[in-house]
């Protein structure tokens, strides 16, 4: 069986103030890293009727210096808004980009980045899902045009806004110049979508919380239909009818969004994570080892999921209770 993990607040454990940190040090506790295949999952609410327009949400933070414009048609590469005086451009794709990408990365999200940069004229290589030298050069040029400086080799998803699988016309602007934004902040909305299933995701959405890049399903009772995380609606007439039958005689209820494909991950206790003063999240193999910076890709209050290529086989589970030779972020 493949474990299904609900994406919740593992970070509450890593970021919380450790009330025992000032107590007398105790013995280090080290446990093995678990390796599992898991599917991301989240609970949502659904209702029938006219769905609100597709919302454009940010993956970065900063201050809005130029807000979106009502009536603007957002195709790939179109400027959506400016944050800290840098342009944030539209990305048309079947799914959003959910992580920073750099040389050596592989996967369906790399394919989407290749296709996006190819559509904009930055990339002329194959959409093979491998971040190689050609894509690195394209990303450097894109980043220069995005105001990030020269020779920045990694792609930051905060430089784009996913507008869905088709170009979108801005129907409503949800922010103003001078407003502060953070990941998950909605800045604009497209036209309302009639005869749809409205899907209300948890605050901040689920698209950036786990790997749904292989597709996802929406389950209502015993009915499952395709769903694009972050889209906020199911619009296909047959799928709407199937959900309607599952909800009958009501018109709203609770549903589950699950990733279609399982992914290999490393699983560690949430208590093993330490957040440094600079925001870096770290693990330790032992009390005297140097910290290993990690980027969790999911988990819960009791555990955290990390990329499967984590090099550690064991982790220190109580870093807040022992004397560490090297602080996180050092």
């Amino acid at each position: 069986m493949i474990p299904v993990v609900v994406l919740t607040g593992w970070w509450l454990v890593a970021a919380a103030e450790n009330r025992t940190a000032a107590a007398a040090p105790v013995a280090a506790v080290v446990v093995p890293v678990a390796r599992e295949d898991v599917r991301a999952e989240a609970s949502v609410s659904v209702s029938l009727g006219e769905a609100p327009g597709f919302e454009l949400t940010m993956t970065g933070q900063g201050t809005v210096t130029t807000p979106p414009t009502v009536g603007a048609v957002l195709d790939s590469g179109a400027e959506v808004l400016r944050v800290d005086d840098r342009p944030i451009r539209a990305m048309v794709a079947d799914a959003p980009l959910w992580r920073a990408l750099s040389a050596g990365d592989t996967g369906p999200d790399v394919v989407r980045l290749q296709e996006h940069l190819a559509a904009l004229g930055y990339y002329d290589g194959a959409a093979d899902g491998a971040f190689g030298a050609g894509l690195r050069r394209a990303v450097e040029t894109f980043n220069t045009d995005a105001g990030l400086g020269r020779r920045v080799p990694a792609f930051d998803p905060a430089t784009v806004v996913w507008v869905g699988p088709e170009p979108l016309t801005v129907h409503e602007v949800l922010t103003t110049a001078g407003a502060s934004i953070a990941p998950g902040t909605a800045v604009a909305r497209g036209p309302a979508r009639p005869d749809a299933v409205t899907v209300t995701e948890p605050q901040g959405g689920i698209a950036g919380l786990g790997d749904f890049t292989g597709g996802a399903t929406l389950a209502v009772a015993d009915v499952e239909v395709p769903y694009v995380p972050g889209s906020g609606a199911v619009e296909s007439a047959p799928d709407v009818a199937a959900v309607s039958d599952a909800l009958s005689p009501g018109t709203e209820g609770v549903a589950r969004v699950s990733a279609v494909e399982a992914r290999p991950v490393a699983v560690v206790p949430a208590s093993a994570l330490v957040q440094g003063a600079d925001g870096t999240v770290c693990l330790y193999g032992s009390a005297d080892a140097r910290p290993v910076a990690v980027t969790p890709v999911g988990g819960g209050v009791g555990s955290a999921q990390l990329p499967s290529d984590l090099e550690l086989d064991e982790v220190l589970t109580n870093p807040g209770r022992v004397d560490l030779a090297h602080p996180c972020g050092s």
Side-chain angles (χ1 to χ4, degrees):
M1 293 203 38
I2 297 172
V4 175
V5 180
V6 178
L7 302 175
T8 54
W10 62 264
W11 50 270
L12 291 173
V13 178
E17 181 180 359
N18 190 332
R19 297 179 181 178
T20 65
V26 300
V29 179
V30 176
V31 299
V33 174
R35 308 283 175 172
E36 300 177 359
D37 289 336
V38 302
R39 264 198 309 267
E41 182 181 82
S43 294
V44 297
S45 60
V46 294
S47 60
L48 298 174
E50 184 177 80
F54 184 92
E55 287 190 347
L56 309 186
T57 58
M58 304 297 294
T59 57
Q61 59 187 13
T63 300
V64 175
T65 48
T66 303
T69 302
V70 171
V73 178
L74 303 178
D75 203 342
S76 283
E79 183 174 310
V80 179
L81 74 166
R82 287 187 173 242
V83 175
D84 299 337
D85 286 324
R86 296 191 181 100
I88 309 298
R89 302 191 181 280
M91 177 180 177
V92 176
D94 291 334
L97 297 176
W98 54 277
R99 58 171 174 163
L101 295 170
S102 58
D105 286 334
T106 60
D109 52 345
V110 178
V111 172
R112 294 197 297 277
L113 175 60
Q114 290 170 326
E115 292 174 342
H116 177 64
L117 295 183
L120 302 185
Y122 290 101
Y123 179 66
D124 59 3
D128 57 5
F131 198 125
L135 184 57
R136 178 183 58 78
R137 289 190 294 270
V139 167
E140 288 181 351
T141 304
F142 177 87
N143 285 340
T144 299
D145 293 345
L148 300 182
R150 294 173 56 83
R151 297 184 179 178
V152 177
F155 185 85
D156 183 353
T159 58
V160 298
V161 175
W162 181 50
V163 301
E166 302 290 340
L168 178 139
T169 300
V170 176
H171 180 74
E172 183 181 2
V173 174
L174 305 177
T175 190
T176 59
S180 295
I181 59 169
T185 300
V187 295
R189 182 182 291 132
R193 294 165 285 185
D195 300 324
V197 177
T198 299
V199 180
T200 304
E201 299 183 2
Q203 185 175 6
I206 64 174
L209 297 179
D211 187 358
F212 292 93
T213 56
T217 60
L218 177 78
V220 182
D222 58 352
V223 170
E224 287 193 359
V225 298
Y227 176 66
V228 178
S231 66
V234 173
E235 300 180 73
S236 164
D239 294 340
V240 172
V243 173
S244 177
D245 289 343
L247 291 173
S248 181
T251 59
E252 58 185 31
V254 177
R256 184 183 72 253
V257 175
S258 301
V260 172
E261 298 179 359
R263 56 185 170 85
V265 296
V267 181
V268 301
S271 62
L273 300 175
V274 175
Q275 189 170 42
D278 62 354
T280 302
V281 178
C282 303
L283 286 176
Y284 291 85
S286 65
D288 58 356
R290 288 196 169 274
V292 175
V294 295
T295 303
V297 295
V301 173
S303 65
Q305 300 170 16
L306 306 170
S308 60
D309 59 359
L310 178 69
E311 296 181 358
L312 296 176
D313 293 320
E314 296 181 326
V315 294
L316 181 67
T317 66
N318 58 343
R321 298 290 305 278
V322 301
D323 288 328
L324 298 173
H326 307 281
C328 180
S330 62

